[in-house]
Amino acid sequence: VEVQELKHKIELITDFLRVVVTYKPFGIAYYKANQLLTQELAATKSEKEVQIKLSLNPEEYLMGGGSRVLGMNRRGNLLP
């Protein structure tokens, strides 16, 4: 993984995917072959937690989510 860190963003680059995280406003964008796949702009932060809203297609799943014993498919649930 190649990492390029700039003042306002960080980019993670592999042979297949590029992820761009902007700091202010917070956002995450995913690119494949320079084509935008999806972009996440909804994030909130409180004293206890950070929440990011992910856009998933109907055929996509969130698997896992940490070291706790939880059901594997976390779609539609909060991740602890």
Side-chain angles (χ1 to χ4, degrees):
V1 174
E2 178 185 346
V3 178
Q4 296 179 356
E5 190 165 2
L6 303 171
K7 184 177 180 179
H8 64 287
K9 69 179 180 179
I10 187 168
E11 294 190 23
L12 307 169
I13 304 165
T14 71
D15 292 338
F16 305 102
L17 188 68
R18 179 168 57 106
V19 179
V20 179
V21 179
T22 55
Y23 302 130
K24 289 187 180 181
F26 179 81
I28 304 173
Y30 303 89
Y31 296 88
K32 183 176 181 180
N34 289 325
Q35 178 181 354
L36 179 64
L37 299 174
T38 188
Q39 187 171 328
E40 314 301 340
L41 297 174
T44 59
K45 181 179 178 183
S46 71
E47 194 173 297
K48 294 183 181 182
E49 63 187 13
V50 174
Q51 295 181 355
I52 300 173
K53 188 173 224 175
L54 300 173
S55 302
L56 298 177
N57 293 324
E59 67 276 1
E60 294 179 311
Y61 298 92
L62 289 176
M63 304 304 280
S67 60
R68 292 178 167 195
V69 178
L70 300 169
M72 286 301 292
N73 181 5
R74 302 305 299 154
R75 184 185 183 99
N77 294 287
L78 291 176
L79 299 174

